[in-house]
Amino acid sequence: MTSQEFRAFKANLAMLLRDMPIGTTADFSDVAVAYWDGTQVIGAYLRDGGRLDEDFEFDENAWESWHDELVGWQANPTFTEREELKSSLQHPAQRAG
């Protein structure tokens, strides 16, 4: 769980998300995802029903907290296109997470 491992993971995640349609999330678990906001990777919690809730900084603390889920996701990445996220990224004033 070194800083170098985190930087490599985040760089790869950013590359994958940049290549996806706007509003796509990397689905790490049923409570946390990440997305590309146009400049960086952002983490977001999910609430009941899988809707986006609060954003969190996708940093080394997140890496340590979610390490097992992130490594598992990396072995079998899953993504979801989310209309609510797409809309909020196209109209930033709507995203107040």
Side-chain angles (χ1 to χ4, degrees):
M1 289 196 276
T2 67
S3 294
Q4 187 168 342
E5 287 175 312
F6 168 68
R7 284 192 303 273
F9 177 86
K10 189 172 180 180
N12 185 58
L13 177 59
M15 179 192 66
L16 291 171
L17 288 170
R18 282 191 309 261
D19 289 343
M20 296 284 178
I22 188 170
T24 299
T25 58
D27 303 337
F28 305 130
S29 73
D30 32 338
V31 296
V33 299
Y35 64 91
W36 181 254
D37 75 350
T39 60
Q40 65 182 337
V41 174
I42 302 292
Y45 295 108
L46 298 176
R47 60 179 168 220
D48 294 335
R51 294 186 51 83
L52 292 174
D53 197 6
E54 209 175 308
D55 287 348
F56 63 87
E57 188 173 346
F58 195 82
D59 59 8
E60 289 192 43
N61 290 328
W63 170 252
E64 289 180 23
S65 296
W66 297 97
H67 183 265
D68 292 344
E69 289 84 354
L70 297 172
V71 170
W73 176 86
Q74 193 171 26
N76 187 26
T78 57
F79 300 91
T80 301
E81 286 186 53
R82 298 178 187 271
E83 285 302 317
E84 66 177 307
L85 180 58
K86 180 178 180 177
S87 177
S88 69
L89 290 171
Q90 288 175 336
H91 305 95
Q94 293 178 4
R95 182 92 177 123

